[in-house]
Amino acid sequence: MVMKKNYIMHFGGLVIMIILVLSSCSDDKNLGDPMSETITISSVTIAATSYDAKNDTICLLKNGELQLSCTVQPEKVSNSNVQWTSSNESVAIITENGKITAKENLGISVVRVTPEIGFGPASATPFKIVKVLDHFNYIESMEITNVPVEEIAVGSEYQLNIASQPQNATFARYKWSSSNSKIATVDKNGIVSGIGKGKVTITATADDLNPDVPASTSVEIGVKVVVPITSVELIEDGELSQLGYGEDYQIRYNLTPEDATASLLTWTSDNEGVVTVDNNGKLHVNSLTNGSAVVTMAYGSISASVTVSVAEGRLWYSFANGLSPWAVGNSATSTSDGTKTIVQMGKSGSKYRGDLSLVTNGSGKNVTITPATYRYLAVKIKPLSALVAGNNSVGTIKFELYDNPATIGYNNLGQINSANNSFVVLNGSNISTTQPNILYYDLQAKYDSKNPTDWSKFTLVQLKFVIADYLAPATSYDLYWIRAFKTLDELNSYVNNENN
């Protein structure tokens, strides 16, 4: 009995051990996968089409068809199906697969795409405006604008723009190309990237679905390799101490190394009321009186400066690109061609007139002349009629100047005792109507019986050329420059150098 009892107890313990082992193993037993997480679409993007116009608009002709497509994010979603809808099916219908068919009716319909089971939290419903037209307006002409004046640098970018006509073109889109991608590339937005030294042609072509030859335009761009500047040197130049009113003058300088990139320099003037300087070191004198300015060229920590001065009484105006600060009166107009300004005179009764003024009485502006130093005032001009001294029947050029109170003026009589055409023709006796003339005035000559003994300096309230009494067809004149000289030899030397 004792043995049997022990056996039963041993067997019972074994059962309990097995249960405990099985129970402990049940902690690791897979009783089934949890419910799978649903991943919803967070965004939908409608793909671009060849019929895309501005402002999310698709333009189609009547009865035209177009297949739309889209992409969804994230890439792995529980349900990637989308639904397409059209807000105006009388204009355009769209299938469940995104195929648009334009109807006969002209108008607009909004096409939207939405997920079949809804968006996630970052939802936004994309759309396209479908505009149905009976014809497309094609681009007729194009011009590349914002073209760089100088070469662009390797490694730099430059934005080109397009101006096209008509302004109501249906597809104002352009394709860009480069003639040599080893020199420069251009992206779809017209941004040019400099790659290597040389010249390249950048072309823009209308991408407007024109079945004929589309409009196009091209521009040549230079690309340079940028060489850093290690030192700069301004060249000593006597002209910088005697600049004339209105003068444009190029500062001369040296760079090290010799092939250093000059466009890296920055130029500044500390007195722009007297002298301004452009990005190339070219000065322009703004002051009508004497003055000075410090002009500085710099690249990083490298710099050099020079003091430039305006010489009192030295007028030095070019009219290659315009008249300012001179002005024409009597309803005259002017145009410039890079060499001269052509003045079209206004009609005055039966004749024509176009006076040329630097300062006029009552304007509040003054100009200083110094006949003791700058004695001769010359003008390069070509009138269209042969002028006669003392006569205004076929036109006149009369030099008029005075101060206030009048110690000089009113009319300069010159060597010819008449205010009308009292100039002297340099190296000639007659004025030419086919070639430019150099006419000059002795500022120490007679002035309407007002002849001072001291010619040092006069502050004028009027300095004007009365250019009047011309008969048709001589209704315009060409104007090149007005300049003051110390001597006639200096004037002759300047004109000879200019001609050569």
Side-chain angles (χ1 to χ4, degrees), residues 25 39 87 135 142 165 183 266 268 278 393 399 438 457 481 484 500:
C25 289
I39 303 174
S87 67
H135 70 281
M142 298 169 51
Q165 295 293 334
I183 296 175
T266 58
T268 56
D278 69 10
S393 61
F399 185 42
I438 309 297
K457 177 179 177 179
W481 49 253
N500 294 328

Side-chain angles (χ1 to χ4, degrees), residues 21 27 35 62 66 101 110 118 133 156 205 212 221 230 288 350 362 388 401 409 419 467 473 479 489:
V21 170
D27 292 339
M35 182 180 294
K62 292 188 298 184
L66 177 65
T101 301
V110 178
L133 308 170
S156 68
T205 303
D212 299 323
I221 292 177
T230 59
L288 290 177
S350 61
V388 180
L401 75 169
I467 302 178
L479 190 62
D489 286 342

Side-chain angles (χ1 to χ4, degrees), residues 163-207:
S164 63
Q165 295 293 334
Q167 294 185 356
N168 65 339
T170 305
F171 303 104
R173 305 177 310 209
Y174 317 100
K175 293 180 179 179
W176 294 87
S177 63
S178 167
S179 64
N180 191 336
S181 60
K182 293 182 179 180
I183 296 175
T185 60
V186 59
D187 71 5
K188 63 180 182 179
N189 298 312
I191 299 176
V192 178
S193 299
I195 305 298
K197 184 177 180 179
K199 291 186 177 180
V200 64
T201 300
I202 303 297
T203 300
T205 303
D207 181 22

